[in-house]
Amino acid sequence: MDAPAHVGVVGGGRMGAGIAHAFLLAGSRVSVVERDSASADAAAERVHDSIRRSVDRDPLLDEPALRARLTCGTEIAEFSECALVVEAVPEDRALKEEALSRAEGAMHDGAILASNTSSISIDDLATSRARPETFLGLHFFNPVPASALVEIVRGSATRADVVETAHAWVQTLGKSPIVVRDSPGFASSRLGVMLGLEAIRMLEEGVASAADIDAAMTLGYRHPTGPLRTTDIVGLDVRLGIAEELAATLGPRFEPPALLRAMVADGKLGRKSGEGFYRWNEETR
């Protein structure tokens, strides 16, 4: 199966831009819709920067052709001909509900709608959908260009053929799909957040430095990145939001440490803010 001819993305932040970039490389035409023109311009620059990086790695790529297949704007009507629309707004239930409703209203009946949520129940989000049978989770990982995994989350109402189509589309991106049943935190966030929260508690208790805690996992368990550096890459605010969602549904073992809450309150969000458990310069951001 080829990649979908036309893909819509709601939200052009780091995740939305990464998703758009992945589908552009696979040959899709991509429409990114943002809340205002300034945000749309910023989204376009993020995607263009990713395209430039890809061309630097592979000079055989046609940069003008890739850029020509991208549109970034504010008109939700762009989704009328899309085979797939992916919601990629921040991990806030109200924001996602609004974005999904707007997108669905512009889509044709046969199109697939997906949420990039990393923790919110697909079944909960499906209750407000006009076509829950064509709705599912497509959980991409940050940074999207470097990540090999996409988690496909099957809701109770999701049709089997919709899951199969999404599975094939993910493979066209050169990524590996896994299929999980809808449950709090799915598979990846539930495991990853638990490890990250315990690492933060260890740092809070003075067990070891951030670098040594991370080294315990990279050197001892061959994790490519330690849990604290991973939290910086994901974003401390994002990880806090996921932890709060999981604590509400799975119990106090996911209660966010006080250190995490304090760092988010201080604006230390990780790589995107320049400081988290590590300091990040312009080159590493």
Side-chain angles (χ1 to χ4, degrees), residues 33-159:
V33 171
E34 264 288 4
R35 62 185 181 276
D36 54 48
S37 57
S39 298
D41 290 344
E45 184 52 39
R46 289 187 193 98
V47 183
H48 291 161
D49 184 59
S50 292
I51 291 171
R52 284 192 293 270
R53 292 171 186 264
S54 293
V55 171
D56 287 343
R57 290 190 296 269
D58 182 2
L60 295 178
L61 290 173
D62 187 340
E63 183 172 356
L66 289 169
R67 292 170 67 111
R69 292 203 302 272
L70 172 71
T71 57
C72 294
T74 60
E75 294 299 324
I76 205 76
E78 288 279 341
F79 296 160
S80 62
E81 297 180 355
C82 289
L84 169 68
V85 173
V86 183
E87 167 272 308
V89 302
E91 195 73 358
D92 177 278
R93 189 183 297 269
L95 286 176
K96 287 188 179 292
E97 288 282 7
E98 179 186 11
L100 289 166
S101 294
R102 290 180 64 225
E104 190 174 46
M107 296 164 61
H108 64 81
D109 288 350
I112 294 174
L113 176 63
S115 173
N116 185 52
T117 181
S118 53
S119 64
I120 301 172
S121 166
I122 292 299
D123 281 346
D124 284 355
L125 294 174
T127 59
S128 302
R129 307 281 65 78
R131 297 181 291 277
E133 69 279 3
T134 57
F135 175 62
L136 78 172
L138 279 183
H139 179 204
F140 289 79
F141 290 78
N142 186 22
V144 177
S147 176
L149 177 67
V150 177
E151 193 172 35
I152 299 173
V153 186
R154 184 185 67 243
S156 299
T158 310
R159 290 199 321 254

Side-chain angles (χ1 to χ4, degrees), residues 117-121 139 151 153 180-193 242 245-246 249-250 254:
T117 181
S118 53
S119 64
I120 301 172
S121 166
H139 179 204
E151 193 172 35
V153 186
V180 301
R181 178 180 60 83
D182 182 45
S183 62
F186 318 132
S188 59
S189 291
R190 189 165 171 175
L191 291 169
V193 168
I242 296 170
E245 181 76 22
L246 294 180
T249 53
L250 294 176
F254 285 99

